[in-house]
Each structure stands twice: as C-alpha cells, then as structure tokens.
C-alpha cells in the first residue's frame, strides 16, 4: 500500500469535531483479550439454567470496559445536549415516579440531589445505545454497549479470573448490592425494605478492578436474546429478535440471578426499567493522527462505518470548497453519482415482484417509442447487468475533447434518451460486460412508463419517504438552479499534475445523469438505505436479493447496479458489495460486508485518494 495514502488514512480516522459541552468521560479498565468457555462452568449444578449451557468457546480481542456503571450525572449531561428523544415510540429516559433525573424549565437535565453518583436507571436499551453513540462523537473514540461475551469475560475477571461465582467473590454481599443487602437506599423503591441502588464503586471490585457487575443494576448489552450462546471470534449473537439481553444482578435480585453466567432478557423498550442500567465498552484505537499529511493531500469529506445498528465511526473533515473554506460536516449532502444505480435496480426488482415487468422482456415492451436498434433485442436483465451492447451515452464529446456532450447542456430526459441512449449496438447483447450510463437511463424511463409517474416521485414514494431519507432526492431540471444558488453540494476538485495544484472541476449538468447517477444524499440517509436493503432486507424479497447480488458475465463481478466481490482481509475472505460513484473530484462509496454486517459510506470531493483503497484499508482494520 502507498505509504502516503496510509499516513493520510491514519489521520482521517482520528479527525474529530469540536467537543462542545464538557463531559464526564467514563473511567475505563483495559481487558486483555483471550479464549474462554462461555456459560455455566458447572453444568451439573442445579442452579445452571437451560440457556446457560452448553458452554461454548469464545475468542475476544482486547477492549476497554467501564470501571463503573454510567451514573445519573453522566446521563444527565447527555440528555442536556441531545434531549430525551424517542425510539420505538418510547423516550430514551422514562420520566416517571422512579426517575432520578429531572428536566428544568430551560430544557436542561440534572440528577436529583444526593443520587448523582448512583447508576442511571429508567433507560431503554435504545437510550443506552444512544448515549454510547453520543459519547463516541464527543470524544472521537469508539464507544458502544458491550457484547454479551465481552460482559461475561470481564465479569469473570478476564485472564485474571479466579473462577468466582459472582464478579470478584463467592460471597455475594462482598461484591454486590442485591435485594437482601440493598436496604435503606436513598432511592428506596421497595416499599417494605426501602431497597434500591447505591453509589457506584462502594463494594469490592473483581479481579480486573471493575465494580458492581454482580449487583446494583442489571446491565443492557448489545446482543439480541437467544436461548443458546453464540461462540467463535467476537460473537454478537443473532441479527434479529424482539428481546435484548440483560446481564448481572440488580438491587431487586436474589443469588441465582446474580451469578456471572446468569442471563435475563427484556424488550428494548421495557416498561420496567428501575432495575436496568449499563456500562460502556471502548474498542481499541485502530489509527493514529497525522494532521500534516491530511493537509498535504487535501482530504475532504465524510466517512461513516456502521456495524448492524451501531455507528462505530462517523467523522467529517476538510472543507466543502477551496475558495471560502466552509467546513465539511457529518450532515453535508453530496451528489452520489452512480450509487443512484442501486436505487434504480431496487425499484426495477420491486416492480418485478409486483408482476409489472419481466426482466426477460425487451425494451420495446415498455418503451414503444424507443428508436434505437436495441428496442426488440436488449432485455431488462441486460440493461441491469451492463451487457446490453448499447453504445455508451458518454461517447460524444464537446470541443474540449474531454467533456461528454450529454452532460454539457441541459436536456429533458426524453431528449437524453433519444440523443444519447439510442445509439448503435457495439457488440452482441449478453456477450460481454461494458459499463454504460445509457443502460440505467433507459431503466429510469421504463420505471416512469410502467408507474405512469416521474422517476423522482417513484423514488420518493417507494424508498426515500418510507425510510425517512429526508435529505435525499433526485436532481432535476426543476431544482437544479435552486441547488446551484444555494451551493448545496460540495464542489469537486481534481489534481493538475502539470501545475501541481488542485483545480475546481468543470461544471456539468448533474440532472442529466438521471436514474444512472442524478441523486444526492447524506451518509446518514444512505446508512438507512443500507440497513433496509442489506441488513433488514425490507425492500426486496430473497429471490430479488439473489438477483441483485448475483454476479454475471465473464467473472466481472457485477450484479445489478453494484459490484459483488470476494476479498482477502487478513485471515478472512469476505463478500462485499461495493458501489462507487464518481465524477472527476467527486468520489463516493457505498459498501457492505455481508458476513459481519458492516456498512462503509464515504464521500470525498477531491481525487487525491483512491476510494477503493480507502475502503479496503478500513475493512482490514475492522476485521484484523
């Protein structure tokens, strides 16, 4: 790998944004990774419940975990900045008679006096997860909820474990606030005994120096509940399920529920949360900071890395324009160019599922006025897989010999179809791969004809509105001038080798890319599309997904609108869908690693870095 690129990437991973509100960052304990047998160690013991066995071998990498549970004071800081938002129709923090955090008239949140250092209760799983995402952004570190395996390994004392039943002792009272010894608490939720929580860190710590893992509050972890363990390397459990796992004893638990291996479950929006809290995990830092290299190579853009529901990396850096130095932000919208093709192929497959089109039918079945020689020869399948043989729309050039004529002037989509997408067949359809925007422009017109609606409206109704992609849309002749006046999208900049300077790209009519590359979006919005398409599979059925991700001719590794490839990443071979979008200095990437449910979305507005190498390096860092 080019050393200059590596140095630049190292910087990118650490560039953060302003800290803003001062926060009380959790104190952490380092946990050296290793192998352990997860589950009840004495399976013949009658206390071992069915979902704690059989044990399974787990390998964990190094990580840091909270020395204490997150406190009321710490969570109040988060609420004061973010507000008490709602997930799944329930607020992150439940403001009822058991709440120990109150909201002032000014909108800020503050812990009740005397319980500031008690572990925070009354939070949903979503509220715990939201705190970790906020903390990651504020500190430029990789915070998240622990996995069930990480929680159990730490509770047992990691590699220093002495095999205790509870976290740090065989004597429950020595290490835990559980029902029999949690009486006369200031919270006093139990009517008779006044049992409740106590300040964190008052009992004996475990072998690693971690407090309260056996009792005070039970703790949310990231995993979905299953009645058996998931083994292997850094396991995360099943992908889907109604219940989340809760680990560790609470003030209202007895001995049985307080063991290191005891497992309970609760819905993420559980209405009974006085006995649930959480602690955080921080992943090992993967990259170092190199400011000078980033400045030298004009790295400007936005990066998001997400694993399932967890955003583990989201940073913006540089400027949106070289002239005024306006800063890039995490919410900066970009023209996403050919990433648009994945949206187009998805809509085509939806129409196929509804019986409105047949992929084996030819163009003239749906566009009766199409004038090209491909009309009764080329099928929709061949358009989707770029095997149509239709001459590329970009062949005709302007006088400069570089700018394609199709993008140099304003045209209606009908004019684009007739002038630039109805050319001669340059090879026998289906015989080989030849990338062409013309194929997907034709598909966009077919969608309009079948739906009797504009592509812009169909896109919005089928994907953008249902997924809440409010910062995404299609650039059209009608909105193009408005967007230009607003300077809504970052301008592209390309490196001039002769002059050794960055130069602003020539203006092109982005709307002419239409259904082949005319969309704009943000990384946040694209992550919603990634979740719906690849993770939750809510946009297409399995048969359609198989068609989308099947690779077609001559081992070119192209499916329908995206490349699908297998890569060596250290000791692993991964399957990934990579969809770049490019126009000179504007470079975007929409990538998904299937085995690990990792989504990587990158927007750049310079051509100084290979975006393909960038994605490859991030994947290696995550998987190695």
């Amino acid at each position: 790998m080019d050393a200059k690129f590596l140095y630049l990437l190292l910087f990118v991973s650490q560039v953060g944004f302003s800290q803003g509100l001062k926060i009380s960052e959790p104190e952490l304990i380092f946990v050296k990774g290793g192998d352990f047998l997860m589950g009840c160690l004495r399976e013949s013991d009658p206390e071992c419940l069915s979902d704690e066995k059989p044990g399974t071998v787990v390998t964990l990498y190094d990580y840091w975990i909270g020395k204490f549970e997150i406190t009321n004071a710490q969570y109040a800081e988060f609420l004061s900045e973010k507000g008490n938002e709602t997930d799944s129709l329930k607020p992150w923090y439940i403001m009822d008679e058991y709440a120990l955090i109150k909201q002032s008239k000014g909108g800020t949140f503050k812990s009740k006096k005397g319980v500031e250092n008690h572990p925070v209760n009354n939070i949903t799983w979503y509220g715990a997860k939201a705190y970790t995402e906020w903390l990651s952004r504020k500190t430029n570190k990789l915070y998240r909820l622990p996995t069930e395996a990480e929680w159990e390994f730490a509770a047992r004392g990691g590699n220093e474990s002495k095999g205790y039943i509870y976290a740090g002792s065989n004597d429950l009272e020595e290490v835990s606030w559980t029902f029999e010894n949690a009486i006369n608490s200031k919270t006093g939720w139990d009517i008779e005994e006044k049992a409740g929580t106590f300040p964190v860190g008052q009992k004996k710590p475990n072998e690693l120096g971690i407090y309260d893992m056996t009792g005070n509050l039970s703790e949310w972890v990231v995993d979905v509940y299953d009645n058996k363990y998931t083994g292997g390397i850094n396991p995360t459990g099943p992908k889907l399920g109604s219940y989340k796992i809760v680990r560790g004893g609470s003030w209202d638990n007895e001995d049985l529920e307080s063991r290191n291996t005891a497992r309970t479950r609760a819905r993420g929006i559980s209405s009974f949360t006085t006995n649930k809290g959480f602690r955080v995990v921080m992943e090992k830092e993967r990259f170092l900071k190199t400011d000078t290299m980033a400045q030298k190579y004009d790295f400007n853009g936005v990066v998001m890395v997400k694993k399932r529901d967890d955003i583990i990396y989201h940073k913006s850096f540089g400027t949106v324009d070289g002239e005024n130095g306006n800063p890039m932000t995490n919410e900066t919208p970009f023209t996403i160019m050919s990433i648009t093709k994945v949206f187009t192929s998805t809509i085509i497959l939806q129409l196929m599922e509804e019986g409105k089109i047949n992929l084996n039918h030819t163009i003239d079945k749906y566009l009766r006025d199409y004038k090209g020689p491909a009309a009764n020869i080329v099928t929709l399948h061949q358009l989707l897989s770029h095997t149509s043989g239709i001459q590329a729309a970009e062949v005709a050039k302007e006088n400069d010999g570089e700018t394609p004529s199709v993008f140099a002037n304003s045209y209606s989509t009908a004019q684009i179809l007739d002038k630039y997408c109805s050319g001669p067949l340059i090879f026998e359809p289906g015989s080989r791969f030849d990338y062409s925007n013309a194929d997907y422009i034709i598909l966009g017109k077919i969608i309009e004809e079948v739906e009797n609606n504009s592509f812009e409206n169909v896109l919005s109704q089928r994907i953008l509105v249902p997924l809440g992609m409010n910062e995404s849309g299609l650039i059209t002749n009608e909105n193009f001038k408005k967007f230009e006046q607003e300077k809504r999208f970052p301008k592209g900049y390309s490196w001039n080798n002769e002059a050794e300077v960055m130069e602003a790209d020539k203006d092109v009519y982005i709307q002419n890319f239409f259904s082949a590359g005319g969309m704009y979006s943000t990384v946040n919005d694209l992550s919603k599309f990634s979740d719906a398409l690849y993770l939750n599979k809510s946009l297409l059925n399995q048969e359609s997904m198989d068609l989308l991700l099947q690779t077609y001719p001559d081992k070119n590794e192209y499916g329908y609108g995206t490349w699908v490839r297998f890569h060596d990443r250290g000791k692993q071979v991964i399957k990934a869908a990579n969809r770049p979008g490019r126009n000179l200095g504007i470079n975007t990437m929409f990538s998904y690693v299937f085995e690990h449910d990792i989504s990587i979305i990158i927007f750049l507005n310079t051509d100084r870095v290979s975006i393909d190498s960038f994605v490859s390096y991030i994947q290696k860092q995550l998987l190695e």
Side-chain angles (χ1 to χ4, degrees):
M1 178 179 291
D2 187 342
K4 292 179 179 178
F5 168 72
L6 174 57
Y7 290 142
L8 175 57
L9 178 63
L10 294 179
F11 162 75
V12 166
S13 66
Q14 287 298 306
V15 177
F17 40 86
S18 62
Q19 295 293 308
L21 179 71
K22 184 179 179 181
I23 64 171
S24 302
E25 194 170 352
E27 190 174 347
L28 302 174
I29 294 291
F30 178 70
V31 182
K32 179 67 178 175
D35 299 332
F36 79 109
L37 184 65
M38 185 175 176
C40 199
L41 300 181
R42 292 173 288 275
E43 294 189 359
S44 60
D45 191 321
E47 286 192 341
C48 288
L49 302 181
S50 60
D51 64 353
E52 299 172 37
K53 54 186 182 180
T56 187
V57 176
V58 167
T59 300
L60 293 177
Y61 297 159
D62 301 347
Y63 59 100
W64 282 263
I65 194 166
K67 185 175 184 178
F68 309 107
E69 294 169 314
I70 296 301
T71 66
N72 289 313
Q74 289 171 322
Y75 203 78
E77 291 174 344
F78 159 67
L79 291 175
S80 291
E81 180 166 312
K82 291 293 291 181
N84 193 13
E85 295 185 19
T86 298
D87 258 313
S88 297
L89 304 179
K90 203 154 196 175
W92 290 335
Y93 186 79
I94 301 170
M95 306 292 289
D96 60 15
E97 66 269 27
Y98 303 108
L100 301 178
I101 298 175
K102 298 299 181 184
Q103 186 175 11
S104 70
K105 291 182 180 179
T108 59
F109 291 80
K110 191 173 182 179
S111 172
K112 286 184 176 180
K113 191 173 181 179
V115 294
E116 294 89 346
N117 208 32
H118 285 232
V120 63
N121 66 296
N122 265 35
I123 53 164
T124 66
W125 179 87
Y126 298 97
K129 176 174 171 288
Y131 175 88
T132 65
E133 293 172 354
W134 168 81
L135 188 63
S136 295
R137 296 187 184 105
K138 297 296 292 183
T139 62
N140 194 26
K141 298 175 183 176
L142 300 173
Y143 281 106
R144 55 174 172 78
L145 289 175
T147 65
E148 182 180 25
E150 288 170 337
W151 191 98
E152 184 172 319
F153 187 59
R156 291 181 172 201
N159 294 317
E160 306 299 321
S161 177
K162 296 180 181 178
Y164 294 131
I165 299 172
Y166 311 110
S169 178
N170 287 327
D171 181 351
L172 183 58
E173 188 171 353
E174 190 176 26
V175 293
S176 172
W177 298 110
T178 45
F179 190 72
E180 290 185 359
N181 58 43
I183 60 175
N184 298 319
S185 163
K186 283 189 177 181
T187 58
W189 291 309
D190 177 73
I191 296 175
E192 294 182 1
E193 300 291 342
K194 300 297 181 185
T197 58
F198 284 79
V200 298
Q202 291 192 347
K203 293 284 188 172
K204 177 186 172 182
N206 77 347
E207 297 94 318
L208 295 176
I210 307 170
Y211 291 85
D212 299 323
M213 294 199 81
T214 295
N216 220 354
L217 289 179
S218 296
E219 300 174 15
W220 291 112
V221 297
V222 72
D223 303 55
V224 168
Y225 178 80
D226 193 3
N227 62 1
K228 59 183 181 298
Y229 290 117
T230 300
I233 300 174
N234 299 319
T236 55
K239 296 180 181 180
L240 300 174
S242 302
Y243 289 89
K244 304 295 182 181
I245 294 173
V246 183
R247 295 299 300 258
S250 175
W251 62 269
D252 62 343
N253 285 151
E254 304 291 346
D255 297 12
L256 183 65
E257 296 96 337
S258 303
R259 295 170 297 113
N260 287 330
T261 58
R263 312 171 76 208
T264 54
R265 61 178 183 171
R267 293 189 181 274
I269 54 171
S270 172
S271 59
F272 186 68
T273 52
T274 57
N275 62 357
K276 297 178 185 67
F278 72 104
R279 71 181 69 228
V280 299
V281 153
M282 188 183 79
E283 295 187 27
K284 286 187 67 174
E285 297 289 350
R286 293 188 170 89
F287 310 113
L288 302 173
K289 182 177 179 182
T290 312
D291 294 10
T292 54
M293 295 305 292
Q295 185 176 5
K296 181 176 180 180
Y297 287 96
D298 304 296
F299 205 113
N300 300 279
V302 191
V303 180
M304 176 184 281
V305 180
K306 188 175 180 181
K307 183 168 183 177
R308 297 188 183 173
D309 292 329
D310 290 322
I311 297 173
I312 60 176
Y313 184 85
H314 188 190
K315 303 287 167 58
S316 57
F317 29 84
T319 61
V320 297
D321 51 36
E323 296 81 12
N324 302 311
N326 294 315
M328 197 79 67
T329 72
N330 283 5
E331 290 73 39
T332 297
F334 266 64
T335 51
I336 61 173
M337 309 312 298
S338 286
I339 294 175
T340 305
K341 290 182 174 68
V342 187
F343 289 83
T344 301
S345 60
T346 298
I347 294 172
I348 287 288
L349 289 170
Q350 287 178 338
L351 294 173
M352 179 200 72
E353 291 178 3
E354 296 163 12
K356 295 180 179 180
I357 61 172
N358 186 317
L359 301 188
N360 294 317
H361 285 165
T362 53
I363 295 171
D364 61 346
K365 175 73 174 180
Y366 307 101
L367 298 179
R368 295 179 181 177
D369 295 331
Y370 180 77
K371 300 175 183 177
N376 62 349
I377 301 174
V378 170
T379 66
L380 273 61
H381 162 74
Q382 291 164 345
L383 294 173
L384 286 163
S385 58
H386 289 305
T387 58
S388 69
I390 299 172
Q391 186 178 63
E394 301 89 342
V395 169
K397 297 293 195 294
E398 289 295 283
N399 294 331
D400 62 8
E402 296 179 358
T403 307
S405 298
V406 64
F407 307 128
N409 298 285
S410 177
Y411 297 110
S412 68
T413 54
Q415 290 173 321
I416 294 170
L417 189 70
D418 289 341
K419 287 174 63 71
Y420 299 104
C421 303
S422 301
L425 292 173
I426 59 175
F427 59 83
E428 182 182 351
S431 64
R432 63 184 175 89
F433 175 90
D434 189 59
Y435 188 85
S436 172
N437 281 310
D439 292 335
Y440 275 73
I441 291 171
I442 296 169
L443 287 168
K445 295 302 291 183
I446 289 173
I447 290 170
E448 290 190 331
E449 188 68 25
V450 171
E451 291 287 81
N452 192 28
N453 205 341
S454 69
F455 180 79
E456 180 184 20
N457 287 341
V458 175
L459 173 68
S460 180
Q461 292 166 6
R462 285 183 172 269
I463 299 178
L464 304 186
V465 170
L467 298 186
M469 296 177 65
N470 301 321
E471 300 302 321
S472 303
L474 187 72
I475 302 171
T476 65
N477 283 334
E478 289 71 31
N479 61 30
F480 179 67
K481 289 184 178 179
K482 175 177 177 290
F483 289 157
E484 272 203 324
Q485 291 170 353
E486 294 175 350
K487 299 186 184 303
R488 179 151 190 186
F489 311 117
K491 193 171 183 62
Y493 294 85
S494 300
W495 181 252
N496 184 320
N497 283 321
E498 293 183 4
E500 294 188 347
V501 294
M502 295 294 294
E503 294 180 342
D505 293 340
K506 295 179 181 179
D507 290 331
V508 296
Y509 287 85
I510 298 293
Q511 67 268 39
N512 291 358
F513 286 96
F514 186 48
S515 49
M519 284 184 64
Y520 65 91
S521 191
T522 63
V523 294
N524 287 304
D525 269 11
L526 273 186
S527 74
K528 296 176 183 178
F529 180 58
S530 177
D531 286 349
L533 183 64
Y534 295 130
L535 179 62
N536 303 323
K537 299 181 181 179
S538 61
L539 293 176
L540 297 172
N541 64 31
Q542 190 57 54
E543 179 185 358
S544 296
M545 286 300 297
D546 291 342
L547 289 171
L548 182 82
L549 300 173
Q550 181 180 338
T551 55
Y552 294 100
D554 298 329
K555 299 182 180 179
N556 190 71
E557 302 173 322
Y558 194 82
Y560 283 172
T562 188
W563 276 269
V564 184
R565 291 171 173 151
F566 291 88
H567 305 278
D568 288 325
R569 295 292 182 257
K571 297 179 180 179
Q572 302 181 50
V573 176
I574 63 165
K575 178 183 178 182
N578 289 343
R579 175 67 263 185
R582 297 189 177 98
N583 179 39
L584 300 175
I586 297 296
N587 285 275
T588 60
M589 176 62 77
F590 179 60
S591 175
Y592 193 82
V593 180
F594 291 94
E595 292 87 345
H596 301 276
D597 298 317
I598 294 171
S599 178
I600 302 172
I601 302 166
I602 305 168
F603 292 170
L604 301 175
N605 68 331
T606 77
D607 67 347
R608 292 289 275 157
V609 174
S610 164
I611 204 163
D612 294 315
S613 297
F614 191 5
V615 168
S616 172
Y617 189 76
I618 289 176
Q619 289 171 349
K620 287 180 179 179
Q621 293 302 298
L622 287 169
L623 300 178
E624 291 177 1

